[in-house]
Amino acid sequence: MHMKIIDGHTHINSSRFIPAEFIQGVAHNMLADSLQKFDRAKINALSTIIHSQMKDHYGDQLVTDMDSANVSKSVLLVPDFSYVFNSADSIDSLAKAHYEICRRHENRFIVFIGVDPRHGSQAILSFKRGIFDYGFKGLKLYPPCGYSSSDPSLYPFYELCAEHNIPVLLHTGPTSPQLTFRYADPFDVDDAARLFPSVNFILAHGGIVNVDAAVQQCQFRPNVYLDISGFSSMSGAEGWVGHLTHLFSRGINHKIIFGTDWPLSSMTETYTSQLTKFVAQDGVMKNCLDLEKEKIMYKNISKLVGETAN
Ligand SMILES: [Zn+2]
């Protein structure tokens, strides 16, 4: 069957949107094996190379890749790093740039806009502008910046989400090493999910890291979902194919959202190659019913954001 696909987790591959300091952390981990001791110059040199290759400022390349992989729409995630990284642009400027990308590629992108609750009332204004003026469809949180997804400072945002039927996607699991991993556990969302039962929460990477905790949330909290973004970088004996085949047998396929984490997943495999392997007849979903496949590939995210897959 021809499968409709929405990629539930991507970013624009642009040095304007992904801060240099974030990439420095990624570079540091890549070099960890070869560095004798902490070497700022080497880390900076590698991160400069990576950053200089992030040139898809208008999403044109991403749309070309989506076309070649039969992906009709992608969710663009725009984390707010401006509270923790000096090199990060303000969320208002990122929001405007992503709105323009949506206009340039009409009907191809769904934006989840970031906030850092420590920006206070300014963050509320920015979030409202994103939702009401720009037509963004979700809230993106990055708790490793230093706040819990259940922190009361986020309740005003969740109230807005409840009122306007807006889902919340939050990063879980490890990330760039300058950030804290303390608030990256799937259980951290528990209070928020219990107190705001009409708001849907998506545990980003929940199918890939801290999987048992994420699956448990999905099984017992009706409003918690997970995505499998970052799957192509999975190591381990069974690789991502073995891992996901197992994940899809755990009875939560109505909660699982397909996503690649492009361009971060570009380090291991091209976009088209990830997609081709994924939807192959004898691939990771071979034991799923057709309806389950549809849910994973587009229906679950479609339902949460109120958008069809074209
Ligand atoms: Zn991501």
Side-chain angles (χ1 to χ4, degrees):
M1 71 195 242
H2 179 70
M3 180 76 70
K4 288 186 185 175
I5 306 172
I6 296 178
D7 188 336
H9 188 134
T10 67
H11 310 269
I12 293 286
N13 188 12
S14 162
S15 53
R16 294 177 189 164
F17 307 145
I18 301 180
E21 285 149 295
F22 186 91
I23 298 298
Q24 276 161 7
V26 173
H28 193 175
N29 261 331
M30 289 167 77
L31 290 171
D33 193 32
S34 63
L35 289 180
Q36 299 293 331
K37 58 179 174 47
F38 181 76
D39 186 336
R40 170 66 65 201
K42 276 195 183 147
I43 295 167
N44 283 348
L46 177 59
S47 71
T48 303
I49 293 170
I50 299 173
H51 220 217
S52 69
Q53 291 165 351
M54 305 176 81
K55 288 190 286 208
D56 189 22
H57 308 307
Y58 307 102
D60 297 356
Q61 185 59 49
L62 179 53
V63 169
T64 304
D65 289 336
M66 285 161 60
D67 286 344
S68 69
N70 287 319
V71 173
S72 64
K73 293 186 184 179
S74 286
V75 172
L76 291 178
L77 301 171
V78 191
D80 182 3
F81 288 124
S82 64
Y83 196 85
V84 290
F85 289 145
N86 288 328
S87 60
D89 217 343
S90 76
I91 200 66
D92 287 339
S93 127
L94 295 177
K96 188 159 183 288
H98 281 76
Y99 171 64
E100 276 156 16
I101 289 169
C102 291
R103 289 190 12 162
R104 183 181 177 94
H105 303 288
E106 223 174 308
N107 214 19
R108 302 305 299 275
F109 291 125
I110 299 160
V111 174
F112 278 47
I113 194 68
V115 300
D116 188 312
R118 292 165 296 185
H119 286 309
S121 56
Q122 191 55 47
I124 293 272
L125 286 178
S126 301
F127 180 55
K128 281 186 175 167
R129 188 178 307 126
I131 299 302
F132 301 124
D133 295 353
Y134 294 152
F136 297 160
K137 293 289 162 68
L139 174 64
K140 157 82 175 183
L141 298 177
Y142 215 86
C145 286
Y147 56 86
S148 165
S149 54
S150 285
D151 193 281
S153 64
L154 283 162
Y155 294 178
F157 295 92
Y158 296 156
E159 277 158 19
L160 275 167
C161 290
E163 194 181 336
H164 299 284
N165 208 13
I166 290 163
V168 179
L169 180 143
L170 56 132
H171 176 94
T172 66
T175 175
S176 192
Q178 305 99 320
L179 300 173
T180 177
F181 303 169
R182 182 191 300 271
Y183 303 115
D185 192 287
F187 276 120
D188 221 49
V189 80
D190 195 59
D191 284 342
R194 179 174 54 83
L195 292 170
F196 294 91
S198 66
V199 177
N200 292 310
F201 292 87
I202 304 167
L203 303 167
H205 319 295
I208 305 301
V209 286
N210 301 321
V211 178
D212 286 335
V215 168
Q216 204 177 105
Q217 285 288 321
C218 291
Q219 277 169 332
F220 295 102
R221 290 249 173 250
N223 56 331
V224 176
Y225 294 72
L226 61 78
D227 81 29
I228 54 164
S229 59
F231 64 85
S232 75
S233 58
M234 283 198 85
S235 47
E238 53 176 359
W240 66 263
V241 175
H243 172 82
L244 290 180
T245 307
H246 176 62
L247 178 70
F248 296 155
S249 72
R250 297 183 71 171
I252 56 156
N253 289 340
H254 58 301
K255 293 295 194 77
I256 297 179
I257 293 166
F258 172 77
T260 56
D261 204 12
W262 190 260
L264 293 170
S265 59
S266 64
M267 311 238 182
T268 43
E269 229 171 321
T270 68
Y271 194 77
T272 317
S273 149
Q274 290 177 48
L275 264 296
T276 310
K277 273 195 214 165
F278 201 98
V279 298
Q281 278 300 335
D282 57 349
V284 283
M285 295 186 293
K286 63 176 183 289
N287 300 325
C288 299
L289 304 171
D290 282 350
L291 179 61
E292 291 177 300
K293 292 180 190 170
E294 288 172 353
K295 285 184 175 180
I296 293 167
M297 297 313 292
Y298 73 96
K299 281 193 172 162
N300 290 336
I301 185 67
S302 205
K303 183 182 77 173
L304 296 191
V305 298
E307 279 222 20
T308 64
N310 286 344

